[in-house]
């Protein structure tokens, strides 16, 4: 192959200076950026098109164009493309970091306003539009209970389903289950809420609730478990597939039956990864508003019983406070949002750290 | 491995029996030895290989039971999906029968009136429009960041930023909705006024009042799905075999050419999966849109003016006031959303499964 490789363009005879391709000097990029900004400012303020934001945007566009032209003239087309795309990719980062940073900043600065004992120690019961106090105790209780029940339902079901797919399932049927687990990942949360509304709240619960639809925390937990199930199945499935085959074969060789191999050898090996997946799905479920809104009822009082009467949740509390007219409700909404984000992030960080310690890396 | 690893009584006789007669004469002692463990008849010995004195799979053993339990869990998934469709249909049909307007074309939502009238057209339109606009904004930016994190940033910075992006992907949507409603409204209204002033001749940049518009909803959605698409596609890009990248660089490719020839083609199924997941999220997003859209019931391409609606946001907004028919109507709209997302998902999965066969890439 080496003999057939001929250069496309004939170069001048080898001389150290001309062997190196011509390159834009190091100061070219910043100089171009400054020039682009100046030109943009001139255009924007000269024709009176808009404000400083437009100057930056137009400046960025001019900089990209100028960089391409300059590099094209000095370094050639391929290098110009390289520089252009590199600049574009870097600007994508800036473009995305701005709003995300704004979200985080707003959350922290607004959320700390009501971060007091009262917020975590009281509910919204008997809190009128003119009362500045009131808190999210009932919502925190609701979130913990609903997510707890949902986890208790989902984890056994999801892990067993994953075991079936990986260890026992064969052929078309297992493939179908796998396919529909994938499809289930994409079911919107509001649809699971509607499903539990139609199935549990409107049809099943009236049997033992004097014919009245029974909104409850348990219904919310059902909806959340439908949401969590595909995540748990998928992550468990991936982890089980990572367990090395020799471990299984060793157990079989010792005469251990298959079910015992799965429970005593395969599951413990994959456990950290499975726990990571479960924690991530819990974090997602804790932040869901829509299903809770439809089936939990959203009461303002503290209710420890998830099987009877309305319950709220942190996410629902944020939504309710966001819709209220009281001038004190935005502060409550932001503080509840901060609490919720902290809860979710703690779970996520713990899950990621656990994943890092996992010996079954990809 | 279907059952307990299979054994039969022929180990002592040298493996698989050649003839029935041979098996009977030579295996007699072995059968006696294992009789107390699992009694069986001679014609039960059809198995492969050998190994005396070991139990075979029992009809009612722990193995069967465990297998049955896992099978039940697997079937439960199918049952749940079927149940979602069945119960939604069961509750939607009475409301649809009571509806005196055309469900597909009527622009309005009055299911509590007598006679009830409601239509899905404007809602479905708004759902698809906001989701597509959001993806249009989010996907290029997300791919750019993913490429930066995987191939441009210094390793430490890339890992740290990737971790932050993963965390942002976990932030609940209600937080984004609240932020959009309280803080993004102002800048977006300014942007709308500016777009209308200079690009008003394009129909989508019509006159306002500016505020809770489709543009605002789409931008909030875009910011929301951005971390999700970024973190998924970053993982895909990181999985590109180093050999492919080094081969491209060794052939003299610039960094962009290396990305284009080695990284992007390898990651294509993963990118499609990430985008489809983002689309699914955007289509089903409820609270962020309920807080930012203007809740009107008209099909309008003017993305700047107050208005816009989506199926999910409409359910969240109108649920509290709904009566029996109203709930049925909302469930019917949810059924349509379910169908839309199901089609999107199945298409996406079909693409990924087919592509995976060719590229053997993780998706």
């Amino acid at each position: 192959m080496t003999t057939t490789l001929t250069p496309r363009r004939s170069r001048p005879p080898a001389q150290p200076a001309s062997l190196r391709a011509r390159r834009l000097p190091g100061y070219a990029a910043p100089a171009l950026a400054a020039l682009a900004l100046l030109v943009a400012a001139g255009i924007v303020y000269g024709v009176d098109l808009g404000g400083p934001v437009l100057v930056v945007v137009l400046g960025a566009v001019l900089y990209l164009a100028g960089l391409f032209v300059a590099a094209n003239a000095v370094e050639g087309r391929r290098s110009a493309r390289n520089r252009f795309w590199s600049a574009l990719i870097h600007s994508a980062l800036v473009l995305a970091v701005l709003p995300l940073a704004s979200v985080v900043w707003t959350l922290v600065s607004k959320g700390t306003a009501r971060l007091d004992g009262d917020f975590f120690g009281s509910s919204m019961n008997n809190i009128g539009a003119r009362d500045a106090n009131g808190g999210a105790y009932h919502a925190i209780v609701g979130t913990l209970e609903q997510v707890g029940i949902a986890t208790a339902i989902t984890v056994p079901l999801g892990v067993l389903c994953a075991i079936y797919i990986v260890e026992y399932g064969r052929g078309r049927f297992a493939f179908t289950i796998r396919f529909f687990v994938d499809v289930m990942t994409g079911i919107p949360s509001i649809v699971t809420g509607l499903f539990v509304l139609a199935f549990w709240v409107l049809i099943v619960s009236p049997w033992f609730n004097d014919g009245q639809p029974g909104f409850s925390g348990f219904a919310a937990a059902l909806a959340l478990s439908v949401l969590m199930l595909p995540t748990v199945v998928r992550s468990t499935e991936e982890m089980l597939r990572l367990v090395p085959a020799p471990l299984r074969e060793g157990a079989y060789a010792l005469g251990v039956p298959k079910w015992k191999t799965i429970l005593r050898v395969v599951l413990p090996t994959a456990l950290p990864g499975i726990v990571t997946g479960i924690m991530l799905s819990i974090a997602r479920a804790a932040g869901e508003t829509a299903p809770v809104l439809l089936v939990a009822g959203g009461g303002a009082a503290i209710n420890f019983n998830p099987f009877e009467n309305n319950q709220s949740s942190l996410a629902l509390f944020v939504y309710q406070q966001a819709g209220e007219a009281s001038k004190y409700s935005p502060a409550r909404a932001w503080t509840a949002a901060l609490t919720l984000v902290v809860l979710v992030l703690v779970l996520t960080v713990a899950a990621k750290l656990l994943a890092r310690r996992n010996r079954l890396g990809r | 491995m279907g059952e307990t690893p299979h054994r039969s009584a022929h180990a002592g006789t040298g493996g698989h029996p050649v003839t029935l007669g041979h098996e009977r004469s030579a295996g007699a002692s072995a059968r006696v030895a294992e009789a107390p463990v699992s009694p069986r008849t001679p014609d039960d010995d059809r198995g492969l290989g050998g190994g005396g004195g070991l139990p075979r799979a029992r009809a009612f053993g722990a193995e069967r039971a465990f297998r049955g339990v896992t099978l039940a869990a697997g079937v439960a998934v199918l049952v749940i999906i079927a149940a979602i469709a069945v119960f939604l249909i069961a509750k939607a049909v009475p409301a649809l029968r009571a509806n005196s307007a055309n469900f597909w074309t009527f622009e309005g939502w009055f299911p509590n009136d007598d006679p009830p009238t409601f239509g899905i057209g404007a809602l479905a339109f708004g759902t698809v429009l906001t989701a597509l606009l959001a993806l249009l904004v989010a996907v290029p930016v997300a791919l750019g960041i993913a490429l930066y994190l995987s191939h441009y940033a210094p390793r430490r910075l890339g890992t740290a930023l990737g971790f932050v992006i993963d965390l942002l992907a976990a932030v609940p949507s209600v937080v984004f909705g609240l932020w959009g409603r309280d803080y993004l409204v102002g800048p977006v209204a300014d942007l709308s006024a500016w777009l209308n002033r200079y690009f008003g001749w394009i129909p989508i940049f019509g006159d306002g009042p500016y505020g809770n518009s489709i543009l605002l909803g789409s931008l909030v959605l875009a910011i929301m799905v951005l971390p999700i698409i970024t973190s998924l596609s970053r993982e895909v890009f990181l999985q590109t075999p180093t050999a492919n990248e080094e081969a491209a660089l060794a052939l003299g490719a610039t960094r962009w050419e290396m990305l284009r020839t080695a990284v992007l083609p390898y990651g294509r199924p993963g990118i499609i999966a990430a985008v489809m997941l983002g689309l699914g999220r955007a289509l089903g997003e409820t609270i962020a849109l309920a807080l930012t859209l203007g809740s009107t019931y008209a099909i309008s391409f003017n993305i700047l003016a107050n208005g816009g609606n989506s199926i999910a946001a409409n359910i969240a907004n109108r649920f509290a006031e709904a009566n029996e028919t109203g709930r049925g109507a909302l469930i019917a709209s949810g059924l349509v959303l379910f169908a839309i997302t199901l089609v999107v998902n199945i298409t996406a999965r079909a693409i990924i499964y087919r592509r995976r066969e060719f590229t053997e890439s993780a998706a």
Side-chain angles (χ1 to χ4, degrees), chain B residues 110-173:
Chain B
F110 311 103
N112 298 342
D113 292 3
D114 194 27
T117 51
F118 53 92
I120 195 79
L123 297 177
F125 170 80
T127 306
V128 175
L129 182 64
T130 46
L132 288 184
L133 275 177
L135 281 194
L136 202 65
V137 176
V139 169
V141 179
L143 292 185
I145 305 174
L147 282 178
Y148 174 80
L149 293 179
S150 61
H151 286 86
Y152 281 88
R155 182 164 291 257
R156 248 163 213 281
L157 181 69
T159 317
L161 272 180
F163 193 73
V164 173
I165 294 273
D166 280 0
L167 292 187
L168 283 170
V171 170
S173 61

Side-chain angles (χ1 to χ4, degrees), chain A residues 20-354:
Chain A
R20 310 175 100 188
R22 288 203 298 156
R23 290 182 60 82
L24 278 178
Y27 58 81
L32 264 173
L35 188 69
L37 275 180
L38 274 179
V39 172
I43 294 176
V44 169
Y45 289 115
V47 197
D48 191 23
L49 278 176
V53 179
L54 187 63
V55 172
V56 174
V57 173
L58 194 61
V61 173
L62 287 177
Y63 169 71
L64 282 174
L67 188 70
F68 185 82
V69 171
N72 197 15
V74 178
E75 299 177 339
R77 175 158 294 252
R78 290 177 52 208
S79 174
R81 271 207 192 125
N82 187 32
R83 278 179 183 274
F84 174 79
W85 281 103
S86 172
L88 208 60
I89 283 170
H90 282 86
S91 51
L93 183 74
V94 177
L95 198 64
V97 161
L98 284 178
L100 291 174
S102 161
V103 171
V104 173
W105 169 246
T106 317
L107 188 64
V108 173
S109 62
K110 284 266 150 189
T112 43
R114 275 295 319 274
L115 212 58
D116 46 32
D118 196 31
F119 186 79
F120 294 104
S122 62
S123 74
M124 288 299 291
N125 209 10
N126 293 327
I127 300 289
R130 290 165 184 233
D131 298 326
N133 50 352
Y137 184 57
H138 63 301
I140 296 172
V141 168
T143 293
L144 293 182
E145 287 189 355
Q146 288 154 21
V147 172
I149 296 175
T151 312
I153 297 174
T154 315
V155 168
L157 193 62
V159 171
L160 285 174
C161 179
I163 289 177
Y164 176 77
I165 295 175
V166 176
E167 306 281 344
Y168 289 109
R170 284 288 169 276
R172 200 158 267 281
F173 187 64
F175 179 81
T176 312
I177 291 181
R178 229 184 130 218
F179 185 80
F180 275 101
V181 169
D182 275 359
V183 167
M184 217 173 152
T185 329
I187 293 180
S189 58
I190 190 109
V191 171
T192 67
L194 285 175
F195 161 59
V196 172
L197 175 77
F199 161 66
W200 182 262
V201 176
L202 295 182
I203 294 182
V204 177
S205 71
W207 288 348
F208 41 83
N209 200 31
D210 305 331
Q212 291 299 309
F215 296 91
S216 64
F218 180 68
L222 281 181
L224 292 181
S225 63
V226 174
L227 269 181
M228 288 167 69
L229 187 62
T231 328
V232 173
V233 174
R234 280 313 302 271
S235 59
T236 309
E237 187 196 328
E238 267 173 32
M239 281 303 136
L240 290 181
R241 282 187 202 284
L242 286 177
V243 174
L247 278 182
R248 294 193 180 96
E249 285 157 8
Y252 295 151
L254 291 172
V256 182
K258 183 158 188 176
W259 64 276
K260 215 173 229 174
T261 309
I262 294 170
L263 288 182
R264 294 282 174 81
V265 177
V266 177
L267 274 187
T269 316
L271 196 64
I274 296 174
V275 172
T276 302
I278 290 171
M279 285 168 87
L280 287 178
S281 76
I282 292 176
R284 197 193 151 197
E288 281 295 345
T289 319
V292 186
L293 169 75
L294 293 187
V295 297
I302 301 168
N303 175 14
F304 281 104
N305 184 356
F307 296 99
E308 242 179 292
N309 293 333
N310 294 352
Q311 250 190 355
S312 191
S313 85
L314 264 176
L316 181 56
F317 181 82
V318 177
Y319 180 62
Q320 284 173 334
Q321 292 300 317
E324 240 168 60
S326 160
K327 71 171 176 179
Y328 300 109
S329 58
R332 286 194 286 256
W334 278 108
T335 307
L338 181 64
T339 317
L340 180 61
V341 169
V342 168
L343 178 74
V344 168
L345 289 195
V346 165
L347 276 170
T348 315
V349 170
K352 299 264 169 192
L353 291 182
L354 195 65

